[in-house]
Amino acid sequence: MGERLRTANRRELGGYLFIFPAFLVMLMLVIYPLIYGGYISLFNTNLMARWNLVGLKYYLRILTDSVFWSKIRITISFTFWTVLGHFILGMVLALMLNVKIPGRAVFRAILLTPWLFPEVVVALVWKWLYNPMYGLINHFLVQLHVIAAPISWLGSPSAALPAVIIAAIWKGYPLIMVMLLAGLQAIPQELYEAAQIDGASPIQAFRYITLPGLRYVLVVSLILDTVWWFKHFTIIWVLTQGGPVDATNVISIDIYKTAFEYFRFGEAASMAVIVFFICFLFGYGYRRMLGDEGN
C-alpha cells in the first residue's frame, strides 16, 4: 500500500514537472503582463520617477467619455466588416479547395500567400496600390471609366475605412480558409452521399450537413479572428495612422498615441484593460450564440 502511494506521488510530481516549463512561459508572457498592465492603470505614471496613485479615476473618466466610445464604434465597424469578409471569402475558397481538382495543392499555396507576408509589407503594398498619383487601383478604374479622376482613397474620410478594411480582409482570409478547409475535410462523405440519395439540393446539404459539421470550427475561428482584428494596429497605422479626421482611429491606435505620444501610460493601460474585457465578452457571446457552452 505504501509503495503504491509513493509510486502515485512520484507520477503526480512528474506530471507537475512536465507542465512547469509551459506554466513558466505562460506566467512570463501572459499572466505577468496582464497583472502589470492592470497595476499601471491605477497610477498617473511615466514609468520612471512619477507613480501617483489615482485608483479607478481613469476607468471612470474613460467609461463616461463619448470620444472613447466613438473610437470603440469605429473599432467594432472595422472588426465586423473585416471578419465578415474573412468568413465569406474564406468559406467560398475552402469549398472550392475541398473539391478534388487538378493542381489543388498549387492553388492552396497561392491562396495562402497573403498570410505569409508580414503585416508591414502588406500595408505598404496596399498603400502603393491606393496611391492617387501612381496607384494601380486608380489607373484601372479610370481606364474602365468607373471613376472620372483618381481618388485619394486613404485621404478621404468616407473612403479611408473601407480601404483599410479591404487590405485587412486580403491579409486575414487565408487563416479562416485553412481552418474551414480542415473542418470540411473532417465531415464524413457518407453524409453527403446519403443526402444526395434522399434528393437534397446542394444548398440543403450545405445548410443541414456542412454548417452543423463546422460549428466548433466556426466558434474557434470567430473568437480568434474577432479578437485579433479588434486589437489590430499595424496595417491601420502604416496606411493612415488613424486619419483622416479620426476616420480610422480605432482603439488600438488611440492607446498607442496615449501611451507613446502623450506619455499617459496609466490612462493607456486603463483603456487596454477595458479592451481586454470587451474581447472576453466577444468570446463569451460567440460561445453562447453557437451553443458551445460545455466545451
Side-chain angles (χ1 to χ4, degrees):
M1 184 65 183
E3 182 61 29
R4 287 183 181 177
L5 185 60
R6 282 193 292 274
T7 303
N9 288 336
R10 281 198 295 271
R11 286 179 178 173
E12 188 176 350
L13 179 62
Y16 286 125
L17 289 176
F18 272 115
I19 66 170
F20 181 73
F23 173 75
L24 194 62
V25 171
M26 185 176 291
L27 183 68
M28 290 189 297
L29 298 182
V30 178
I31 299 176
Y32 171 73
L34 281 175
I35 295 175
Y36 190 61
Y39 175 75
I40 292 175
S41 69
L42 303 176
F43 290 87
N44 175 10
T45 176
N46 57 4
L47 298 183
M48 297 181 72
R50 190 179 72 245
W51 286 88
N52 300 326
L53 181 65
V54 296
L56 300 176
K57 173 185 172 183
Y58 290 139
Y59 289 99
L60 296 174
R61 190 165 74 190
I62 291 168
L63 292 173
T64 56
D65 184 5
S66 60
V67 176
F68 172 78
W69 291 110
S70 72
K71 308 289 173 51
I72 291 292
R73 280 195 293 274
I74 295 171
T75 308
I76 290 175
S77 177
F78 167 77
T79 306
F80 173 79
W81 292 112
T82 301
V83 172
L84 183 64
H86 287 166
F87 274 82
I88 292 174
L89 196 56
M91 178 65 83
V92 171
L93 294 174
L95 290 171
M96 292 171 63
L97 291 175
N98 197 38
V99 179
K100 292 181 180 178
I101 56 173
R104 184 171 62 168
V106 176
F107 288 121
R108 191 180 301 173
I110 293 172
L111 292 171
L112 277 174
T113 304
W115 187 252
L116 303 178
F117 286 116
E119 291 174 347
V120 173
V121 174
V122 170
L124 290 174
V125 168
W126 279 94
K127 196 169 188 175
W128 176 72
L129 290 172
Y130 285 134
N131 191 286
M133 299 295 293
Y134 51 81
L136 285 179
I137 292 176
N138 275 316
H139 172 74
F140 286 122
L141 292 178
V142 170
Q143 291 296 317
L144 294 171
H145 303 290
V146 177
I147 56 177
I151 296 175
S152 178
W153 300 100
L154 300 176
S156 165
S158 60
L161 186 60
V164 170
I165 289 171
I166 290 171
I169 290 173
W170 188 83
K171 166 62 182 169
Y173 82 82
L175 175 65
I176 303 301
M177 180 190 73
V178 169
M179 296 184 75
L180 294 180
L181 182 60
L184 287 171
Q185 293 178 347
I187 299 175
Q189 288 301 310
E190 292 80 5
L191 295 177
Y192 291 104
E193 292 169 2
Q196 192 175 13
I197 293 172
D198 290 340
S201 66
I203 295 177
Q204 288 173 321
F206 180 79
R207 166 69 181 83
Y208 295 105
I209 298 175
T210 304
L211 283 182
L214 290 175
R215 188 176 66 169
Y216 296 118
V217 177
L218 287 172
V219 171
V220 174
S221 304
L222 268 173
I223 293 173
L224 291 177
D225 208 40
T226 302
V227 171
W228 178 263
W229 290 99
F230 189 86
K231 58 185 181 54
H232 188 72
F233 174 82
T234 309
I235 291 178
I236 306 172
W237 179 258
V238 174
L239 286 178
T240 63
Q241 297 190 358
V245 201
D246 285 346
T248 60
N249 198 7
V250 296
I251 194 63
S252 58
I253 300 284
D254 207 39
I255 292 173
Y256 175 81
K257 288 180 178 177
T258 303
F260 298 104
E261 289 188 2
Y262 311 133
F263 302 107
R264 301 201 301 263
F265 292 101
E267 187 175 346
S270 305
M271 295 163 70
V273 171
I274 293 172
V275 168
F276 169 79
F277 282 106
I278 291 174
C279 291
F280 177 81
L281 288 176
F282 276 136
Y284 180 76
Y286 281 144
R287 289 167 66 90
R288 294 283 295 180
M289 281 192 299
L290 296 174
D292 191 40
E293 302 92 336
N295 294 285

